[in-house]
Amino acid sequence: MKKQVLINVEDKDIRVAVLESGELTQLFVEQIEEKSIVGNIYKGLVESIVPGLNAAFVDIGLDRNAFLHFADICSDYGVPEKGAPRRSGKESSSPEKADASDSPDKSDASDGSAGSGTRSRKAAGSRRRLLKVGDEILVQATKEPMSTKGARVTSYISLPGRYLVLLPISSREGGVSRRIEDANERKRLRTILKQLKADEGSFIVRTAGLDQDEDEISSDVKKLTKLWTRIRRSAALKKAPSLVHDDHEILGRLVRDELAEDTDELIIDSKAHARQLKQILASILPQLKNAVTIYDNPDENLFEKHQIESQFQKALKRRVWLKSGGSIVIDEAEALIAIDVNTGKFVGRGDQEETILKTNLEAAETVSRQLRLRDVGGIIVIDFIDMKSRENQRELLRCFKELLKRDRAKTTVIPLTEYGLLQMTRKRVRQSLSKVIFRQCPYCDGSGRVLTEQQIWKSIKYEILRTLKKRPEAKSLRIMVHPDMRRYLETEVLDAAKQIANRSGAALAFVDNKDLHVEECSIITQ
């Protein structure tokens, strides 16, 4: 399978497309003026504590205060002074933070040595009593601000490197990504970790650390240790609220989190950014330095040449067609994604159960790719076509779980129900791709629907009658409507409008106003 990474640099954004065998599987869009904040570290100021929400709100210098849950407050939450934070030696690392900043490889959780499960209410309560309004606190963003909500933050800092994640505020030994399944390899990596014990905190070996030798991992240890030293010094010097560490230079994050030795080609259409990319590769993935190609064709855009524009616009439609003739329908809500699988035109050549299994397997592959491409998160319910055979159900579940291993986001899958429903969760910390490249429809306000012309006419009719009741002396009414609606009114309801005019004695005239919503009207009396 050939893997290509295309980087398109524009005036206002940088777009990165990942293709596997020519098919788009991931697309990242970074607004140059509106960078992501996930992974950034801030020196914050506690503005308020709300026991009813089990949370505090922290001013980190953004438009809205950040949300800090009590469970995300460690006992050493204070800002480092003169080198290092206070250490009690009693607080373990956050059970979630072993991998939460390891964006987007969020499933790189440890084997348990960095903590797992939910902290006790008693522990969260003690941390709540530690925190006071006006306290300065070092926090890391774990979730973007969305809609009216501020960012979510934690005081459990985690610093991702190429092969490791440093948990500087941790008294545990560290661990190995669950995705590294080979027992001997896990044992080898744990041995290396013990030999390279951090001066403070602990390390988690990321999936990229698989089969890496001790020198490579040791190099990552040194880089992350130096980074944490710089962050501590910066935090001690800056005044709250302020940004202490910016984790979001897109090319550096791309190399660190997305690229691997299996990348065959890197194509970029900016000479200046190509030089920067090569410098980053030289220090992190030197074997890919020679894979960089500069695309320099002023007559044709890089994404157009490789049909990226048409691929992602087609892929992000509500209905996605399968090669067999079936389809999947994806409906995205705030925190719930519903996916329906249909056989469509596909009837197969064997028995019905075989046809259904083939459609479901094809749908599973498309769904796994769509989850990565759209970068959706929350609860996902997939309505596969119902299968009677338990063996076929197990085959579908096994296949889908295997496909999800390509996804660097953390996923949890619940077995199929008796009705063919598969429930899963996918952790997402940024806005989904659709929220980045689409704006809410001004007509339907995001519902995906507008009233039928007949219903709109009823609304207009009642508004006309109310106006005539208020102004019985009116001789004429100019009714301004959307052009599409005017055509309908003059062809379908002209007789009904004439009857109102005859009864009231006022002339009615429908007038175009393209600035009006299709459901709206504006009436002027004369």
Side-chain angles (χ1 to χ4, degrees):
M1 178 176 63
K2 185 177 181 181
K3 185 174 180 179
Q4 295 172 295
V5 176
L6 312 181
I7 305 172
N8 170 229
V9 182
E10 300 283 354
D11 293 336
K12 294 188 176 182
D13 60 30
I14 297 176
R15 299 184 296 174
V16 179
V18 180
L19 285 82
E20 295 176 359
S21 301
E23 192 163 10
L24 183 66
T25 57
Q26 286 177 284
L27 180 68
F28 310 103
V29 180
E30 184 88 6
Q31 304 293 333
I32 292 174
E33 296 179 354
E34 299 177 13
K35 290 184 178 180
S36 169
I37 70 163
V38 173
N40 287 356
I41 299 174
Y42 298 87
K43 184 176 183 178
L45 198 65
V46 178
E47 288 282 319
S48 62
I49 297 174
V50 187
L53 295 177
N54 283 328
F57 288 91
V58 182
D59 182 3
I60 58 174
L62 302 181
D63 293 339
R64 294 187 296 273
N65 288 339
F67 178 88
L68 174 64
H69 195 277
F70 290 155
D72 288 321
I73 303 172
C74 66
S75 61
D76 294 324
Y77 69 82
V79 176
E81 295 181 5
K82 298 182 181 179
R86 302 183 301 276
R87 298 204 53 80
S88 67
K90 298 177 182 179
E91 183 74 35
S92 67
S93 75
S94 157
E96 297 177 359
K97 299 322 293 174
D99 65 315
S101 279
D102 193 1
S103 178
D105 195 357
K106 301 176 189 66
S107 61
D108 273 5
S110 74
D111 59 355
S113 54
S116 61
T118 305
R119 295 186 199 86
S120 69
R121 293 181 181 178
K122 184 178 179 181
S126 66
R127 283 186 285 273
R128 175 189 67 191
R129 288 188 290 273
L130 283 172
L131 201 65
K132 302 288 187 296
V133 172
D135 279 357
E136 292 184 345
I137 182 170
L138 199 65
V139 293
Q140 185 171 41
T142 61
K143 201 167 187 178
E144 295 279 10
M146 294 183 187
S147 186
T148 59
K149 299 178 182 178
R152 180 154 184 169
V153 296
T154 178
S155 68
Y156 289 93
I157 308 298
S158 61
L159 300 175
R162 174 60 186 164
Y163 304 117
L164 303 171
V165 178
L166 170 60
L167 309 174
I169 305 173
S170 170
S171 58
R172 301 289 184 95
E173 289 184 353
V176 179
S177 165
R178 291 192 185 100
R179 290 196 172 189
I180 299 177
E181 297 176 348
D182 183 82
N184 291 330
E185 178 63 6
R186 295 177 67 84
K187 183 178 180 181
R188 183 186 74 87
L189 291 170
R190 280 196 292 268
T191 300
I192 293 175
L193 283 182
K194 289 180 181 178
Q195 295 171 351
L196 300 173
K197 185 172 176 59
D199 294 336
E200 55 181 307
S202 61
F203 290 100
I204 302 294
V205 181
R206 302 183 67 179
T207 310
L210 177 68
D211 296 329
Q212 299 299 322
D213 59 33
E214 186 173 343
D215 290 341
E216 293 289 343
I217 295 176
S218 176
S219 175
D220 228 23
V221 168
K222 293 175 182 176
K223 290 176 184 176
L224 291 172
T225 302
K226 288 180 180 178
L227 175 60
W228 175 236
T229 300
R230 290 198 300 271
I231 291 171
R232 288 184 309 179
R233 289 172 179 168
S234 177
L237 294 172
K238 290 191 174 183
K239 184 178 180 180
S242 60
L243 175 65
V244 172
H245 169 64
D246 187 347
D247 189 50
H248 282 89
E249 197 291 302
I250 189 171
L251 294 181
R253 193 174 74 248
L254 168 72
V255 174
R256 183 191 71 198
D257 294 328
E258 297 299 329
L259 298 187
E261 291 79 359
D262 63 349
T263 302
D264 299 292
E265 192 174 20
L266 278 161
I267 308 174
I268 185 168
D269 58 9
S270 166
K271 291 181 180 179
H273 286 81
R275 287 193 295 270
Q276 183 184 354
L277 179 61
K278 287 182 178 180
Q279 290 174 354
I280 297 169
L281 286 168
S283 63
I284 299 179
L285 272 175
Q287 58 270 49
L288 290 184
K289 186 178 178 181
N290 295 329
V292 177
T293 301
I294 299 174
Y295 180 79
D296 188 13
N297 185 350
D299 298 325
E300 187 176 20
N301 181 274
L302 173 63
F303 273 30
E304 285 290 341
K305 178 178 173 61
H306 291 268
Q307 300 178 335
I308 303 300
E309 302 283 357
S310 59
Q311 278 200 60
F312 86 76
Q313 288 184 22
K314 182 179 178 181
L316 287 177
K317 289 185 176 180
R318 180 171 176 263
R319 184 181 296 274
V320 180
W321 290 99
L322 307 176
K323 293 178 181 178
S324 65
S327 66
I328 61 172
V329 176
I330 303 174
D331 289 308
E332 181 178 348
E334 190 70 25
L336 174 69
I337 312 298
I339 304 176
D340 186 42
V341 181
N342 302 297
T343 53
K345 304 171 186 177
F346 181 59
V347 294
R349 296 182 178 178
D351 60 26
Q352 185 181 28
E353 188 76 4
E354 182 184 340
T355 300
I356 292 173
L357 175 61
K358 185 173 180 179
T359 303
N360 280 339
L361 291 174
E362 188 179 357
E365 183 175 3
T366 302
V367 168
S368 67
R369 186 172 64 251
Q370 285 289 322
L371 295 179
R372 294 164 60 197
L373 178 58
R374 297 175 189 237
D375 197 17
V376 294
I379 300 170
I380 300 166
V381 179
I382 308 169
D383 186 7
F384 285 106
I385 303 167
D386 191 24
M387 295 181 294
K388 297 178 181 179
S389 169
R390 292 288 185 185
E391 184 178 343
N392 287 349
Q393 292 178 10
R394 287 191 291 269
E395 171 65 14
L396 174 62
L397 185 62
R398 184 201 62 77
C399 176
F400 188 60
K401 286 183 175 180
E402 192 66 29
L403 289 164
L404 288 177
K405 289 182 178 180
R406 302 177 190 172
D407 194 341
R408 297 174 73 86
K410 185 177 181 180
T411 57
T412 304
V413 178
I414 300 173
L416 284 163
T417 69
E418 59 179 314
Y419 301 110
L421 295 175
L422 184 143
Q423 302 167 70
M424 64 173 290
T425 60
R426 184 178 188 272
K427 189 170 183 179
R428 172 179 53 81
V429 295
R430 300 179 182 85
Q431 290 190 345
S432 66
L433 183 60
S434 64
K435 299 285 176 63
V436 175
I437 65 174
F438 293 121
R439 66 183 178 92
Q440 186 167 286
C441 173
Y443 285 100
C444 68
D445 291 328
S447 70
R449 297 174 296 184
V450 293
L451 293 172
T452 64
E453 290 90 345
Q454 179 64 22
Q455 292 300 318
I456 296 172
W457 157 241
K458 288 181 180 179
S459 177
I460 293 172
K461 180 177 69 173
Y462 297 143
E463 185 64 28
I464 291 171
L465 294 174
R466 280 193 293 270
T467 302
L468 289 170
K469 186 175 181 180
K470 290 179 182 178
R471 298 286 302 275
E473 75 282 3
K475 296 187 182 302
S476 66
L477 272 64
R478 286 171 55 86
I479 304 144
M480 290 181 286
V481 295
H482 188 276
D484 291 345
M485 195 61 204
R486 184 186 64 82
R487 286 191 288 270
Y488 172 82
L489 294 171
E490 292 186 345
T491 57
E492 300 296 331
V493 298
L494 194 57
D495 290 342
K498 285 180 179 178
Q499 288 177 12
I500 295 174
N502 292 336
R503 286 198 304 268
S504 65
L508 305 182
F510 296 110
V511 182
D512 281 355
N513 186 335
K514 63 181 181 181
D515 294 328
L516 285 175
H517 188 292
V518 70
E519 294 178 355
E520 293 177 340
C521 75
S522 177
I523 300 177
I524 299 174
T525 59
Q526 294 178 338

